Amino acid sequence: MSKDKRDSDDIKGKAYDSKLMKRLLGYVKPYKGYVILAILLNILVAGLGPLRPYLTKLAIDDAIANSDYNELLNISLLLVGSLILQAGIQYVLTYYTQLMGQKIIYDLRVKLFSHIQKLSLKYFDKTPIGKIVTRVTNDVEALNELFSSGIVMVFSDVFQIVWIFGFMFFMSWELALITLSVLPVLFYATFLFRKKVRDAYRQERKFLSRLNSYMQEHITGINVVQVFSKEKDEFKKFIGINSDYRNSLMRSVYYYATFYPVVEILSSISIALIIWYGGGSIIQSAMTIGVLFAFIQYTEMFFRPIRDLSEKYNIMQTAMAASERIFDVLDDDTIIENPEVPKSIEHYTGKVEFKDVTFAYNSDEYVLKNISFEINPGETVAIVGATGAGKTSIISLLTRFYDIQKGEILVDGINIKELSKDELRKRISVVLQDVFLFSGDIQSNIGLNSEEITYDKIVESAKIVGADRFIQQLPNKYNEEVKEKGATLSVGQKQLISFARALAFNPQILILDEATSSIDTETEILIKQAIEKLLVGRTSIVIAHRLSTIQNADKIIVMHKGEIREIGTHQNLLAKKGIYYKLYQLQYKEQELSGV
Amino acid sequence: MKSLKKLNKYFFRYKFKIILGIIFILFSNAAQVYIPILLKDSIDALKENISLDLIIKYAILIVAVAIVGGVFRFLIRTTIIIVSRKIEFDLRSDLWEHIQKLPTKFFQNNSTGNLMAHATNDISAVRMYIGPAVMYSIDTVSKFIIVIVIMISLNPMLTLYTLIPLPLLSYFVYKLSKKIHTRFTLIQEKFSELTTKAQESFSGIRVVKSYVREENEIKHFTKLSNDYLLRNMEKVKIQAWFMPMLFMITGISVIIVVWIGGSMVIEKTMTLGEIMAFVAYLGLLIWPVIAFGWVLNIIQQAEASMKRLMKIFSEKDDIYESSEINDSIAQIDGKIEFKNVSFKYGQNNNEVLKNISLEINKGETVAIIGHTGSGKTSLINLIPRLFDTTSGELLIDGNNVKEIPKEVLRKNIGLVAQETFLFSDTLLNNIGYGLEVIDNKVIENVAEISQLKKDLDSFKAGYETILGERGITLSGGQKQRTSLARALAINPKILILDDSFSAVDTNTEEEILTKLKEFMQNRTSIIISHRISTVKNADKIIVLENGVIAEQGTHDELVELNGIYADLFTKQLLEEELKEIE
Ligand SMILES: Nc1ncnc2c1ncn2[C@@H]1O[C@H](COP(=O)(O)OP(=O)(O)OP(=O)(O)O)[C@@H](O)[C@H]1O
Ligand SMILES: Nc1ncnc2c1ncn2[C@@H]1O[C@H](COP(=O)(O)OP(=O)(O)OP(=O)(O)O)[C@@H](O)[C@H]1O
Ligand SMILES: [Mg+2]
């Protein structure tokens, strides 16, 4: 199903981007102490490794050559000492850098999650959930390696190489130069490899992300696949995506298969050069065997970090790509802004007013045009209209899920842009058209784990909407487990729970968006009677397709294609003989006829 | 190891490449162990003040041997690792093919996140076993044997001394990584909790925002993140010992060589070249020894992952595998008969349907009405066999549904499920989802019937409009009608509408029903609804009450009966009339 359109997980940028890096380092700042400690320990520990081949040289040239057992023992003890010291420091170093890494990603993760929670619905409309989840989980995780081993490893490698070079030049600068003469070739090979691997890696990520979103979407919609008997076709598609992924993985196998042997061969060339040049010097007695010995060990020591560079490069690249995506989200400012100094409503009455509101989800496709109406405190207002007319959109605007392009929305005479969003939303409860249940239990789905909502309140609300009846029949009653998206409840039952939730929050304005669309008439009538008492003195807005549910409304708003066509009471509108009249005739007449 | 045996059939598929790979490993090891011998010879030669020519010969030999070894290393990766990627592909494909077939019940018991984890993490754990683990274990064992033999031939005593720390090393690696693994599992658990939390919190963002629960969500998430940090540090506490431990122990071996070997050189029982060779061999051995402990772990993890995968593989498509399919049934006419059907969702659940007997003739329209939770959806889900009856029989055209091939059955049923699921694809591809090839005429026709035409005008891209995830950018009614069009497009013999107009206004519904009337001629249809206006024209109306058929008949008959239906009818009618009279 998914075409090329969802590849924003592609890695666009470079592997190293100094701007990104700078910003990332900003998160290290609070842990400056750790960094300084790590660097100091690194300098120390990096020298200890290269010290040992030098000590070995001393053992060969001074102790063994002079048959000095004591000296040999001393040097051996020194070797052991350096080893223990190195191990100890290494432990402390690893522990603290990991701790730092963990703390940094904790900071970042919480910051990111909080930011996303505040983003406007527009962001969620255009971004698949799977992708957002990846940001706060895997992408942040990718940074962990960078902070806890990447940065520190680079330091330690650099220090170590410096120490090795130091020892080598100290012992014999000619031999050092000759040994290092393969370096340019090594660098070139690494450079080529890096480039190839980077491209391959990008492909890998792209196909993996495609594979994951395919699986995610099709597991969620498996019922549709099965009911339409599309398993074979879907499997073909899956094979296509899966083999793209496999091929991209296999490509990088070849790069690694070439690179590692090349490094090994280069290192053997270095050793051969040492034997050739060093051997010549030894024959002329210009050099001792111990030096040769030490050099061969050094060769192995400095080829390792260079070979591992490719791995570190991967860490770096993953981290850069991840941080780019993370920063994209953090920079996303599709936030519905709170006013700097929010006004507060002193005498809350529940008056709502739309003044000439015009709104589009996407730039210029207007979904609502010049909407004006007034709801007086305590009134019940109904909105009717064909599907797609814009009823849900009006509701979304009142709770400031989206900001409008033109006009004003007032609650108790104050523009909602001047109120704090939280205060606004706390006064309004919406039973959303699309029911969403969290996994957990029934109780937490009604009370949403809010401390202010007692168990009794939860039961009371469930009773009002008639959900208590079926909940009592469940084995664990209010503690019955709710599966992902409430899979084991009937659709109507889910709607009842969602309705109970709205009542539990004891709102001053209650909005019902098709809140009883999947509920049988009898229950619906019971609910209506029950909440009528509850609603006395409160404002409510009801969207419904069954006209029977809305007739006692104080005011009915008839919408058509994003515009208000008629406003009035049931009687008024009937008398007007307009759209509402026609709608009514249709429903009423039909039933009248069949009743005969 | 039992679960991993299941992989044998995959290994078998690529046996030639694997055998080749093993041979390459042996060759490359032979080349690798030869280099220290060359080093030893050249250093010993230097001691004897030999000519420069000989030295040059050694130098060239070293490079030549390294090149041979390198070529084999290349070949190893391009056989064994490539095979591991291929097996990974096969395994993942097989898993998906299997998952696709599993019954609805399976998906209600396994969350999406869990299944995703199996398809990604578990498969990569198994892949690590197939590739690196197999490669390194053969590499280790063969290299170890060759090197030890050579070392013993050089100097048995020194070999003994230097090898003492090595088993210790393997033991430590094994122990440590086992501990790390248990802690890692704990970390994974937290991580999956974290993921689930994020997933739900974002999916339910509308609810979260409506009820101003953001702070609460953040608080909860922060706590999980903190737990996650703590669990990670538990692992780090042990893991940080890993590397220091490694070079401590390997370093000790080298020091033993220098010290004891050095003494031997002084006593002239050993040469300097031999010391060089020993140091070089230790260098060769260290990695395999480390790898040994590591490989043991990979195998353990792969075993655990494979066990989880096998659990999915062993999940039966109990609906289709257990029944006796009659392949001669190639088409469906549309007569449906329930004979004493009872149904419950699980052993411990209550009976949702009790002794349902019902006959629906070909071409008839039957409507079902009933309270929330009375079992309407459960009833119709039995027809395309999303679930199977617990007792009783369900016949289509006189054949038990259990005998009808799945494809035949489902291709002939157009089910508009109560909850709409759309793919994040174009509107066109969504409507034409069930078609082999998308036929514009068909699409036009079903869009017309389901009244999508009007909406299309307001979409800039028309049929090419790309829907958001699960159709999020459509209005409720638009989603439902797209799903209706999708079911009509496959030209089904049996059409099932499960409360498919709940988000559609009455006016539009009327227009759809009128258009549908023509479409439904010669098709059997079942319509579930709460509205009398939707069901009244049906040939037969079923009133379902607590899983039992309480009343059935035509609208007039039921009104006459003066029971539940009649009561409902007056309620819906009265409401409107009352207002009218006022
Ligand atoms: N998030 C969104 N992004 C873009 N367009 C949207 C979005 N939500 C709705 N629309 C479009 O806005 C228009 C009005 O939708 P709205 O949901 O307000 O209709 P409605 O009157 O509530 O319909 P229904 O009765 O079917 O629920 C529709 O054409 C719809 O496709
Ligand atoms: N997967 C399931 N596992 C366990 N119980 C279930 C499952 N699905 C539904 N139920 C239960 O079975 C009963 C019947 O549910 P069903 O969905 O058939 O009702 P319905 O008549 O379609 O209701 P509605 O009008 O609300 O759609 C309900 O009590 C419901 O909680
Ligand atoms: Mg149902």
Side-chain angles (χ1 to χ4, degrees):
Chain A
M1 271 284 133
S2 44
K3 295 243 171 60
D4 287 11
K5 61 189 184 278
R6 1 155 114 212
D7 289 340
S8 67
D9 262 352
D10 289 8
I11 296 151
K12 306 157 250 171
K14 304 166 269 191
Y16 181 80
D17 183 325
S18 54
K19 244 202 216 142
L20 277 178
M21 198 63 195
K22 227 185 199 161
R23 197 160 163 195
L24 277 176
L25 287 179
Y27 288 89
V28 183
K29 247 195 200 139
Y31 306 102
K32 244 188 269 163
Y34 287 80
V35 178
I36 293 171
L37 179 75
I39 292 177
L40 287 180
L41 289 180
N42 248 322
I43 294 177
L44 205 63
V45 87
L48 286 173
L51 181 65
R52 282 199 297 278
Y54 182 71
L55 288 175
T56 318
K57 172 203 167 276
L58 291 184
I60 292 172
D61 289 349
D62 298 355
I64 298 176
N66 302 329
S67 304
D68 187 341
Y69 285 104
N70 273 339
E71 180 76 8
L72 186 60
L73 184 63
N74 284 342
I75 293 177
S76 299
L77 288 179
L78 265 181
L79 280 170
V80 174
S82 82
L83 204 58
I84 292 174
L85 192 61
Q86 189 183 359
I89 297 178
Q90 191 78 44
Y91 179 82
V92 176
L93 192 61
T94 317
Y95 184 83
Y96 280 101
T97 48
Q98 289 280 348
L99 184 60
M100 178 181 80
Q102 288 293 334
K103 284 192 168 177
I104 295 173
I105 66 161
Y106 166 84
D107 293 348
L108 192 61
R109 180 171 277 139
V110 170
K111 179 170 176 183
L112 188 63
F113 184 85
S114 315
H115 180 78
I116 295 175
Q117 285 287 322
K118 299 200 170 95
L119 284 175
S120 117
L121 284 184
K122 224 175 205 156
Y123 177 80
F124 293 90
D125 286 349
K126 62 176 196 233
T127 323
I129 301 295
K131 235 164 237 182
I132 313 179
V133 173
T134 309
R135 296 296 166 270
V136 296
T137 55
N138 297 334
D139 282 344
V140 173
E141 211 54 33
L143 290 182
N144 181 22
E145 260 188 294
L146 175 75
F147 287 122
S148 60
S149 51
I151 293 179
V152 177
M153 283 292 250
V154 170
F155 273 123
S156 83
D157 286 350
V158 169
F159 289 136
Q160 190 161 21
I161 289 174
V162 168
W163 279 102
I164 293 173
F165 285 4
F167 276 111
M168 283 168 84
F169 278 91
F170 173 70
M171 283 188 279
S172 159
W173 65 268
E174 294 113 318
L175 193 53
L177 281 182
I178 287 175
T179 312
L180 300 183
S181 63
V182 295
L183 275 191
V185 186
L186 182 63
F187 283 139
Y188 184 66
T190 313
F191 171 76
L192 273 187
F193 171 70
R194 222 180 52 178
K195 227 175 100 175
K196 291 284 184 196
V197 165
R198 182 179 63 198
D199 295 343
Y201 178 74
R202 276 187 204 173
Q203 292 285 323
E204 255 174 67
R205 290 289 304 197
K206 184 167 96 185
F207 290 125
L208 178 64
S209 135
R210 211 178 278 179
L211 188 71
N212 281 341
S213 24
Y214 176 90
M215 291 198 290
Q216 167 99 33
E217 183 169 24
H218 285 78
I219 290 175
T220 325
I222 191 78
N223 252 334
V224 175
V225 176
Q226 292 184 340
V227 163
F228 284 87
S229 262
K230 293 288 278 186
E231 290 97 330
K232 281 196 190 119
D233 292 341
E234 290 294 355
F235 187 55
K236 255 186 241 151
K237 254 182 236 163
F238 180 80
I239 289 276
I241 299 172
N242 196 11
S243 55
D244 280 347
Y245 179 51
R246 177 197 58 194
N247 295 344
S248 70
L249 288 169
M250 294 208 307
R251 218 153 53 106
S252 55
V253 172
Y254 283 96
Y255 298 140
Y256 282 98
T258 317
F259 180 67
Y260 284 133
V262 165
V263 174
E264 272 168 42
I265 291 169
L266 284 177
S267 121
S268 76
I269 291 177
S270 257
I271 293 179
L273 285 174
I274 294 170
I275 298 226
W276 163 68
Y277 183 84
S281 310
I282 291 170
I283 292 172
Q284 295 157 15
S285 298
M287 193 184 281
T288 61
I289 290 194
V291 174
L292 199 85
F293 222 95
F295 263 78
I296 291 177
Q297 282 181 295
Y298 282 134
T299 313
E300 273 166 18
M301 262 190 192
F302 79 73
F303 266 91
R304 189 193 49 78
I306 294 178
R307 192 190 57 197
D308 292 352
L309 209 74
S310 54
E311 202 168 300
K312 266 154 240 159
Y313 185 78
N314 260 348
I315 294 180
M316 187 78 112
Q317 187 174 5
T318 318
M320 283 295 153
S323 62
E324 196 173 335
R325 282 178 263 150
I326 289 171
F327 289 144
D328 269 355
V329 178
L330 283 177
D331 290 342
D332 199 313
D333 54 359
T334 42
I335 289 181
I336 304 279
E337 291 290 347
N338 259 332
E340 301 221 327
V341 195
K343 290 192 182 161
S344 62
I345 302 173
E346 263 150 43
H347 291 290
Y348 189 83
T349 58
K351 185 177 161 70
V352 173
E353 202 175 342
F354 272 59
K355 274 191 184 161
D356 218 16
V357 171
T358 294
F359 169 70
Y361 287 101
N362 305 313
S363 52
D364 57 343
E365 292 175 47
Y366 289 103
V367 168
L368 295 175
K369 286 161 247 167
N370 306 315
I371 300 289
S372 299
F373 62 86
E374 230 184 272
I375 305 175
N376 292 317
E379 267 186 354
T380 296
V381 167
I383 306 180
V384 299
T387 84
K391 304 179 293 294
T392 303
S393 305
I394 289 190
I395 302 305
S396 302
L397 296 183
L398 179 57
T399 48
R400 255 195 112 194
F401 279 169
Y402 301 90
D403 264 341
I404 50 179
Q405 274 85 355
K406 239 177 64 194
E408 268 185 323
I409 300 173
L410 310 173
V411 169
D412 281 330
I414 300 177
N415 191 326
I416 56 171
K417 284 188 180 173
E418 289 166 4
L419 289 168
S420 101
K421 276 180 298 176
D422 287 3
E423 170 155 355
L424 175 72
R425 289 178 188 161
K426 272 191 179 145
R427 297 186 184 283
I428 305 177
S429 271
V430 190
V431 181
L432 298 162
Q433 188 172 17
D434 282 323
V435 173
F436 185 90
L437 296 191
F438 296 91
S439 55
D441 57 20
I442 302 236
Q443 186 182 342
S444 69
N445 264 295
I446 296 178
L448 294 179
N449 295 316
S450 167
E451 279 121 32
E452 291 148 39
I453 295 176
T454 60
Y455 178 77
D456 291 342
K457 180 81 193 167
I458 289 173
V459 177
E460 188 197 321
S461 312
K463 278 193 177 137
I464 295 175
V465 301
D468 185 66
R469 198 163 35 114
F470 85 83
I471 296 173
Q472 291 299 346
Q473 279 168 18
L474 298 170
N476 301 312
K477 313 238 155 80
Y478 283 83
N479 294 322
E480 179 78 8
E481 186 191 355
V482 174
K483 290 261 167 74
E484 199 179 16
K485 302 203 187 70
T488 56
L489 295 169
S490 91
V491 176
Q493 290 167 341
K494 282 189 258 192
Q495 207 166 33
L496 290 178
I497 291 176
S498 152
F499 204 145
R501 183 193 284 158
L503 297 185
F505 277 79
N506 202 16
Q508 276 142 337
I509 299 180
L510 180 67
I511 301 181
L512 309 176
D513 189 356
E514 304 271 7
T516 49
S517 63
S518 303
I519 293 167
D520 60 280
T521 315
E522 205 172 318
T523 312
E524 193 184 8
I525 292 171
L526 290 176
I527 296 175
K528 219 168 77 181
Q529 288 164 351
I531 63 173
E532 239 158 49
K533 278 178 250 152
L534 202 82
L535 281 180
V536 174
R538 297 183 209 212
T539 306
S540 63
I541 302 178
V542 182
I543 298 179
H545 287 310
R546 278 184 256 173
L547 297 187
S548 59
T549 40
I550 56 163
Q551 283 164 359
N552 11 16
D554 296 304
K555 199 180 280 169
I556 296 170
I557 299 175
V558 183
M559 302 266 315
H560 189 71
K561 294 204 164 160
E563 285 172 275
I564 293 182
R565 284 297 179 78
E566 296 165 8
I567 296 184
T569 63
H570 179 68
Q571 299 302 339
N572 284 343
L573 290 178
L574 283 183
K576 211 171 178 178
K577 298 217 151 72
I579 298 181
Y580 185 80
Y581 176 77
K582 258 192 259 162
L583 275 180
Y584 185 78
Q585 279 296 355
L586 208 71
Q587 273 186 40
Y588 177 69
K589 206 172 61 200
E590 291 274 335
Q591 302 198 344
E592 186 78 319
L593 273 177
S594 48
V596 176
Chain B
M1 290 301 285
K2 235 172 54 205
S3 304
L4 287 176
K5 278 218 184 83
K6 304 277 190 223
L7 286 172
N8 286 351
K9 73 169 181 197
Y10 296 100
F11 281 129
F12 202 70
R13 211 176 279 171
Y14 301 102
K15 55 181 177 295
F16 292 116
K17 272 210 159 165
I18 293 178
I19 292 171
L20 260 182
I22 293 174
I23 295 173
F24 292 148
I25 291 179
L26 298 180
F27 279 136
S28 108
N29 280 346
Q32 255 188 335
V33 297
Y34 196 55
I35 291 182
I37 296 185
L38 288 172
L39 281 178
K40 168 186 132 319
D41 287 352
S42 43
I43 286 181
D44 285 345
L46 281 174
K47 267 287 193 196
E48 285 149 31
N49 275 336
I50 224 83
S51 73
L52 192 60
D53 285 352
L54 198 61
I55 297 292
I56 291 178
K57 198 189 93 188
Y58 281 126
I60 290 173
L61 261 177
I62 287 176
V63 176
V65 171
I67 289 177
V68 173
V71 169
F72 283 115
R73 291 263 131 201
F74 173 82
L75 291 174
I76 293 171
R77 278 180 184 269
T78 52
T79 47
I80 293 196
I81 303 287
I82 289 283
V83 166
S84 79
R85 291 296 183 194
K86 287 195 168 154
I87 294 182
E88 178 192 8
F89 168 85
D90 293 348
L91 192 60
R92 187 179 286 120
S93 297
D94 288 354
L95 182 70
W96 185 255
E97 196 178 15
H98 183 73
I99 285 184
Q100 267 197 344
K101 278 195 296 214
L102 291 176
T104 311
K105 197 181 278 168
F106 173 81
F107 293 95
Q108 289 180 349
N109 291 329
N110 292 277
S111 70
T112 317
N114 253 333
L115 290 178
M116 290 290 293
H118 291 314
T120 52
N121 299 349
D122 283 338
I123 287 195
S124 24
V126 173
R127 204 287 297 187
M128 284 300 279
Y129 160 74
I130 299 167
V134 167
M135 178 168 95
Y136 286 126
S137 46
I138 295 170
D139 186 54
T140 304
V141 172
S142 63
K143 195 182 281 172
F144 206 81
I145 294 172
I146 307 175
V147 169
I148 302 250
V149 169
I150 296 177
M151 281 169 78
I152 291 177
S153 77
L154 285 178
N155 191 327
M157 275 320 280
L158 190 56
T159 310
L160 189 66
Y161 289 133
T162 49
L163 289 189
I164 290 171
L166 292 190
L168 212 63
L169 179 59
S170 265
Y171 178 76
F172 267 119
V173 172
Y174 176 70
K175 272 283 165 196
L176 275 183
S177 39
K178 201 167 163 178
K179 267 201 179 151
I180 291 173
H181 178 62
T182 29
R183 300 196 178 189
F184 183 68
T185 321
L186 290 177
I187 293 177
Q188 286 284 297
E189 272 167 24
K190 259 291 162 256
F191 191 70
S192 115
E193 241 178 275
L194 201 72
T195 310
T196 311
K197 178 79 218 161
Q199 168 97 33
E200 288 221 315
S201 182
F202 297 148
S203 308
I205 191 75
R206 278 174 174 74
V207 176
V208 172
K209 283 185 181 288
S210 291
Y211 293 96
V212 198
R213 305 303 296 158
E214 290 102 327
E215 286 311 322
N216 193 56
E217 293 294 301
I218 293 171
K219 214 168 77 194
H220 193 168
F221 187 82
T222 305
K223 171 153 191 318
L224 284 176
S225 297
N226 194 40
D227 291 351
Y228 181 66
L229 180 148
L230 294 179
R231 288 205 178 171
N232 263 299
M233 287 320 291
E234 281 301 305
K235 187 189 76 167
V236 168
K237 261 183 218 158
I238 295 185
Q239 198 173 30
W241 277 119
F242 207 82
M243 287 315 282
M245 221 46 165
L246 289 187
F247 53 76
M248 272 276 274
I249 294 174
T250 56
I252 296 277
S253 278
V254 176
I255 294 170
I256 292 175
V257 172
V258 172
W259 181 47
I260 299 182
S263 312
M264 288 174 168
V265 173
I266 297 175
E267 287 157 13
K268 303 266 188 277
T269 53
M270 199 177 169
T271 66
L272 267 184
E274 280 167 350
I275 292 197
M276 184 70 241
F278 258 86
V279 173
Y281 278 128
L282 281 176
L284 278 186
L285 277 190
I286 286 164
W287 168 236
V289 171
I290 295 172
F292 191 66
W294 180 68
V295 162
L296 281 184
N297 242 291
I298 291 187
I299 294 177
Q300 274 188 351
Q301 293 181 22
E303 168 75 17
S305 288
M306 197 62 202
K307 221 188 227 152
R308 284 192 287 269
L309 290 178
M310 287 320 297
K311 215 175 129 215
I312 299 185
F313 273 120
S314 66
E315 286 278 350
K316 285 264 165 17
D317 174 7
D318 50 5
I319 298 216
Y320 273 91
E321 272 163 20
S322 60
S323 58
E324 47 303 319
I325 301 291
N326 180 352
D327 284 315
S328 64
I329 304 173
Q331 64 178 52
I332 277 180
D333 267 351
K335 182 178 157 67
I336 304 172
E337 198 177 346
F338 287 82
K339 271 191 179 166
N340 245 328
V341 168
S342 294
F343 173 70
K344 49 174 142 182
Y345 279 97
Q347 290 293 321
N348 309 322
N349 295 50
N350 296 331
E351 254 185 6
V352 173
L353 297 173
K354 291 162 220 151
N355 291 321
I356 301 281
S357 291
L358 170 66
E359 225 183 288
I360 306 172
N361 287 319
K362 184 187 171 199
E364 261 185 358
T365 299
V366 166
I368 307 178
I369 199 161
H371 283 152
T372 294
S374 57
K376 304 179 293 298
T377 304
S378 309
L379 182 71
I380 53 108
N381 276 346
L382 298 175
I383 301 172
R385 291 190 75 195
L386 291 178
F387 293 93
D388 259 347
T389 57
T390 310
S391 69
E393 276 189 328
L394 171 56
L395 309 175
I396 292 183
D397 299 340
N399 301 310
N400 193 318
V401 272
K402 296 188 181 173
E403 290 169 11
I404 305 173
K406 174 155 71 171
E407 288 247 322
V408 177
L409 181 69
R410 292 190 178 165
K411 290 241 158 180
N412 281 296
I413 297 177
L415 171 67
V416 184
Q418 197 170 10
E419 285 175 293
T420 310
F421 179 90
L422 300 175
F423 291 97
S424 51
D425 200 338
T426 61
L427 197 57
L428 182 73
N429 286 340
N430 267 296
I431 298 177
Y433 183 71
L435 299 174
E436 300 285 327
V437 268
I438 290 184
D439 180 346
N440 282 332
K441 251 203 244 129
V442 174
I443 302 285
E444 287 285 323
N445 184 31
V446 296
E448 177 73 44
I449 298 176
S450 43
Q451 300 290 313
L452 273 171
K453 274 282 174 54
K454 281 186 272 180
D455 304 84
L456 278 164
D457 296 340
S458 66
F459 298 150
K460 253 199 195 141
Y463 283 114
E464 293 303 320
T465 306
I466 290 176
L467 310 188
E469 213 179 17
R470 273 178 244 164
I472 207 165
T473 48
L474 293 183
S475 84
Q478 287 166 343
K479 270 188 272 190
Q480 262 187 346
R481 284 174 296 126
T482 308
S483 151
L484 172 66
R486 177 171 68 188
L488 298 181
I490 64 168
N491 195 18
K493 281 283 186 311
I494 299 174
L495 181 67
I496 303 175
L497 308 180
D498 188 354
D499 208 3
S500 304
F501 304 107
S502 64
V504 178
D505 60 289
T506 341
N507 193 8
T508 312
E509 182 188 347
E510 271 307 317
E511 284 170 35
I512 296 176
L513 283 175
T514 317
K515 290 246 162 63
L516 263 182
K517 221 174 246 166
E518 192 188 324
F519 183 87
M520 292 196 298
Q521 264 171 8
N522 291 321
R523 292 173 216 265
T524 309
S525 29
I526 301 179
I527 301 176
I528 296 178
S529 175
H530 291 300
R531 299 183 204 169
I532 299 278
S533 61
T534 314
V535 305
K536 65 183 182 294
N537 290 326
D539 298 317
K540 192 187 283 169
I541 299 168
I542 310 287
V543 181
L544 213 55
E545 181 95 348
N546 288 324
V548 182
I549 296 185
E551 296 173 8
Q552 59 178 314
T554 63
H555 175 80
D556 294 335
E557 285 166 14
L558 292 179
V559 171
E560 195 84 349
L561 194 69
N562 215 0
I564 304 171
Y565 183 85
D567 184 43
L568 201 64
F569 176 63
T570 21
K571 266 186 186 138
Q572 289 197 6
L573 195 64
L574 252 179
E575 288 211 315
E576 323 212 331
E577 265 180 352
L578 269 177
K579 280 290 144 190
E580 186 70 352
I581 294 160
E582 266 173 20

